[in-house]
Short mmCIF file of all heavy atoms in Angstrom, two decimals:
data_model
loop_
_atom_site.label_atom_id
_atom_site.label_comp_id
_atom_site.label_asym_id
_atom_site.label_seq_id
_atom_site.Cartn_x
_atom_site.Cartn_y
_atom_site.Cartn_z
N ILE A 1 29.93 124.65 77.11
CA ILE A 1 31.38 124.49 77.44
C ILE A 1 32.06 125.77 77.09
O ILE A 1 31.94 126.24 75.92
CB ILE A 1 31.97 123.33 76.70
CG1 ILE A 1 31.39 121.99 77.17
CG2 ILE A 1 33.51 123.27 76.92
CD1 ILE A 1 31.88 120.79 76.43
N ASP A 2 32.78 126.37 78.06
CA ASP A 2 33.46 127.63 77.83
C ASP A 2 34.81 127.42 77.15
O ASP A 2 35.85 127.36 77.79
CB ASP A 2 33.64 128.38 79.21
CG ASP A 2 34.19 129.78 78.96
OD1 ASP A 2 34.27 130.24 77.85
OD2 ASP A 2 34.54 130.42 80.02
N ASP A 3 34.77 127.21 75.82
CA ASP A 3 36.02 126.97 75.08
C ASP A 3 36.99 128.15 75.19
O ASP A 3 38.18 127.97 75.35
CB ASP A 3 35.72 126.70 73.60
CG ASP A 3 34.88 125.42 73.44
OD1 ASP A 3 35.25 124.42 74.07
OD2 ASP A 3 33.85 125.45 72.70
N TYR A 4 36.43 129.34 75.06
CA TYR A 4 37.30 130.54 75.17
C TYR A 4 37.93 130.63 76.54
O TYR A 4 39.13 130.93 76.68
CB TYR A 4 36.48 131.79 74.86
CG TYR A 4 37.27 133.06 75.09
CD1 TYR A 4 38.24 133.48 74.15
CD2 TYR A 4 37.03 133.85 76.19
CE1 TYR A 4 38.93 134.65 74.36
CE2 TYR A 4 37.72 135.03 76.38
CZ TYR A 4 38.69 135.41 75.49
OH TYR A 4 39.41 136.56 75.69
N GLY A 5 37.14 130.39 77.59
CA GLY A 5 37.72 130.44 78.95
C GLY A 5 38.77 129.41 79.17
O GLY A 5 39.83 129.69 79.78
N VAL A 6 38.51 128.18 78.65
CA VAL A 6 39.54 127.09 78.80
C VAL A 6 40.82 127.48 78.10
O VAL A 6 41.94 127.33 78.61
CB VAL A 6 38.97 125.76 78.28
CG1 VAL A 6 40.08 124.70 78.25
CG2 VAL A 6 37.80 125.30 79.16
N ARG A 7 40.66 128.02 76.83
CA ARG A 7 41.87 128.43 76.12
C ARG A 7 42.58 129.58 76.81
O ARG A 7 43.82 129.59 76.88
CB ARG A 7 41.47 128.84 74.69
CG ARG A 7 42.62 129.18 73.77
CD ARG A 7 42.21 129.40 72.34
NE ARG A 7 41.27 130.49 72.19
CZ ARG A 7 39.97 130.36 71.97
NH1 ARG A 7 39.44 129.14 71.88
NH2 ARG A 7 39.23 131.42 71.81
N THR A 8 41.84 130.51 77.33
CA THR A 8 42.45 131.65 78.01
C THR A 8 43.20 131.17 79.28
O THR A 8 44.30 131.62 79.58
CB THR A 8 41.38 132.67 78.41
OG1 THR A 8 40.68 133.10 77.23
CG2 THR A 8 42.01 133.85 79.07
N MET A 9 42.61 130.24 80.03
CA MET A 9 43.27 129.79 81.22
C MET A 9 44.52 128.96 80.88
O MET A 9 45.53 129.03 81.60
CB MET A 9 42.31 128.94 82.05
CG MET A 9 41.15 129.70 82.68
SD MET A 9 41.67 131.18 83.59
CE MET A 9 42.72 130.46 84.83
N ASN A 10 44.48 128.23 79.78
CA ASN A 10 45.69 127.48 79.36
C ASN A 10 46.78 128.47 78.99
O ASN A 10 47.96 128.23 79.31
CB ASN A 10 45.38 126.57 78.19
CG ASN A 10 44.49 125.39 78.61
OD1 ASN A 10 44.52 124.95 79.80
ND2 ASN A 10 43.77 124.81 77.68
N GLU A 11 46.44 129.57 78.32
CA GLU A 11 47.40 130.58 77.98
C GLU A 11 47.94 131.20 79.25
O GLU A 11 49.16 131.52 79.34
CB GLU A 11 46.79 131.58 77.05
CG GLU A 11 46.48 131.06 75.64
CD GLU A 11 45.73 132.08 74.78
OE1 GLU A 11 45.41 133.18 75.37
OE2 GLU A 11 45.50 131.83 73.61
N ALA A 12 47.04 131.48 80.21
CA ALA A 12 47.47 132.06 81.46
C ALA A 12 48.44 131.15 82.20
O ALA A 12 49.47 131.58 82.77
CB ALA A 12 46.29 132.39 82.35
N LEU A 13 48.14 129.86 82.16
CA LEU A 13 49.07 128.86 82.80
C LEU A 13 50.43 128.90 82.11
O LEU A 13 51.49 128.84 82.75
CB LEU A 13 48.48 127.44 82.71
CG LEU A 13 47.40 127.10 83.77
CD1 LEU A 13 46.86 125.74 83.49
CD2 LEU A 13 48.05 127.19 85.18
N ALA A 14 50.44 128.98 80.80
CA ALA A 14 51.71 129.00 80.04
C ALA A 14 52.50 130.30 80.42
O ALA A 14 53.73 130.26 80.64
CB ALA A 14 51.46 128.95 78.52
N VAL A 15 51.79 131.43 80.49
CA VAL A 15 52.47 132.69 80.83
C VAL A 15 53.00 132.62 82.28
O VAL A 15 54.14 133.02 82.53
CB VAL A 15 51.48 133.86 80.67
CG1 VAL A 15 52.11 135.14 81.25
CG2 VAL A 15 51.13 134.07 79.21
N MET A 16 52.18 132.08 83.16
CA MET A 16 52.68 131.95 84.55
C MET A 16 53.82 131.01 84.69
O MET A 16 54.76 131.23 85.46
CB MET A 16 51.49 131.57 85.48
CG MET A 16 50.51 132.67 85.70
SD MET A 16 49.28 132.27 86.98
CE MET A 16 48.37 130.95 86.17
N GLY A 17 53.79 129.91 83.91
CA GLY A 17 54.91 128.96 83.91
C GLY A 17 56.18 129.60 83.42
O GLY A 17 57.27 129.44 84.02
N PHE A 18 56.10 130.40 82.32
CA PHE A 18 57.25 131.10 81.79
C PHE A 18 57.76 132.13 82.81
O PHE A 18 58.93 132.25 83.06
CB PHE A 18 56.89 131.77 80.47
CG PHE A 18 58.00 132.63 79.89
CD1 PHE A 18 59.12 132.05 79.29
CD2 PHE A 18 57.97 133.99 80.03
CE1 PHE A 18 60.11 132.83 78.76
CE2 PHE A 18 58.95 134.81 79.53
CZ PHE A 18 60.06 134.20 78.88
N THR A 19 56.75 132.91 83.40
CA THR A 19 57.13 133.89 84.41
C THR A 19 57.81 133.20 85.59
O THR A 19 58.79 133.75 86.16
CB THR A 19 55.90 134.65 84.87
OG1 THR A 19 55.27 135.23 83.73
CG2 THR A 19 56.23 135.73 85.86
N PHE A 20 57.27 132.05 86.01
CA PHE A 20 57.88 131.34 87.14
C PHE A 20 59.33 130.92 86.85
O PHE A 20 60.19 131.09 87.68
CB PHE A 20 57.02 130.14 87.48
CG PHE A 20 57.57 129.27 88.58
CD1 PHE A 20 57.46 129.67 89.91
CD2 PHE A 20 58.25 128.12 88.31
CE1 PHE A 20 58.00 128.91 90.92
CE2 PHE A 20 58.75 127.33 89.32
CZ PHE A 20 58.64 127.73 90.62
N GLY A 21 59.54 130.41 85.64
CA GLY A 21 60.92 129.99 85.29
C GLY A 21 61.87 131.17 85.27
O GLY A 21 62.98 131.07 85.80
N VAL A 22 61.47 132.26 84.64
CA VAL A 22 62.32 133.48 84.59
C VAL A 22 62.58 134.01 86.00
O VAL A 22 63.70 134.38 86.35
CB VAL A 22 61.71 134.54 83.67
CG1 VAL A 22 62.50 135.83 83.77
CG2 VAL A 22 61.62 134.05 82.24
N THR A 23 61.48 133.99 86.81
CA THR A 23 61.61 134.53 88.14
C THR A 23 62.56 133.67 89.01
O THR A 23 63.37 134.18 89.74
CB THR A 23 60.23 134.57 88.84
OG1 THR A 23 59.36 135.39 88.06
CG2 THR A 23 60.36 135.15 90.24
N VAL A 24 62.51 132.34 88.81
CA VAL A 24 63.42 131.48 89.54
C VAL A 24 64.90 131.77 89.18
O VAL A 24 65.75 131.85 90.05
CB VAL A 24 63.09 130.01 89.28
CG1 VAL A 24 64.20 129.07 89.82
CG2 VAL A 24 61.78 129.62 89.94
N LEU A 25 65.16 131.95 87.84
CA LEU A 25 66.50 132.30 87.44
C LEU A 25 66.94 133.65 88.05
O LEU A 25 68.07 133.75 88.50
CB LEU A 25 66.56 132.32 85.90
CG LEU A 25 66.34 131.00 85.18
CD1 LEU A 25 66.41 131.22 83.68
CD2 LEU A 25 67.42 130.01 85.60
N LEU A 26 66.04 134.65 87.96
CA LEU A 26 66.38 135.92 88.57
C LEU A 26 66.58 135.81 90.06
O LEU A 26 67.47 136.45 90.66
CB LEU A 26 65.27 136.95 88.25
CG LEU A 26 65.15 137.43 86.82
CD1 LEU A 26 63.96 138.32 86.66
CD2 LEU A 26 66.43 138.14 86.41
N MET A 27 65.75 134.99 90.69
CA MET A 27 65.83 134.82 92.14
C MET A 27 67.16 134.18 92.53
O MET A 27 67.77 134.57 93.53
CB MET A 27 64.66 133.95 92.61
CG MET A 27 64.39 134.04 94.09
SD MET A 27 62.96 133.02 94.49
CE MET A 27 61.69 133.83 93.49
N VAL A 28 67.61 133.19 91.71
CA VAL A 28 68.90 132.56 92.00
C VAL A 28 70.03 133.60 91.89
O VAL A 28 70.90 133.70 92.76
CB VAL A 28 69.15 131.39 91.08
CG1 VAL A 28 70.55 130.85 91.19
CG2 VAL A 28 68.14 130.28 91.39
N GLY A 29 69.98 134.38 90.80
CA GLY A 29 71.03 135.42 90.60
C GLY A 29 71.00 136.47 91.67
O GLY A 29 72.02 136.87 92.25
N LEU A 30 69.80 136.97 91.99
CA LEU A 30 69.66 137.98 93.04
C LEU A 30 70.05 137.45 94.41
O LEU A 30 70.61 138.21 95.23
CB LEU A 30 68.22 138.53 93.03
CG LEU A 30 67.82 139.37 91.84
CD1 LEU A 30 66.34 139.78 91.95
CD2 LEU A 30 68.71 140.62 91.70
#
């Protein structure tokens, strides 16, 4: 079981979720 890969992908999902939220706010303003 790739524990490191699972943890890394979860972190990537969190980063992409945060990026998506910030981007949506910027997109609304722009």
Side-chain angles (χ1 to χ4, degrees):
I1 295 177
D2 187 8
D3 296 313
Y4 174 75
V6 172
R7 185 171 62 254
T8 303
M9 292 309 300
N10 289 335
E11 292 175 355
L13 279 176
V15 172
M16 287 190 291
F18 175 78
T19 304
F20 177 76
V22 173
T23 303
V24 169
L25 294 177
L26 289 175
M27 197 177 300
V28 171
L30 291 176

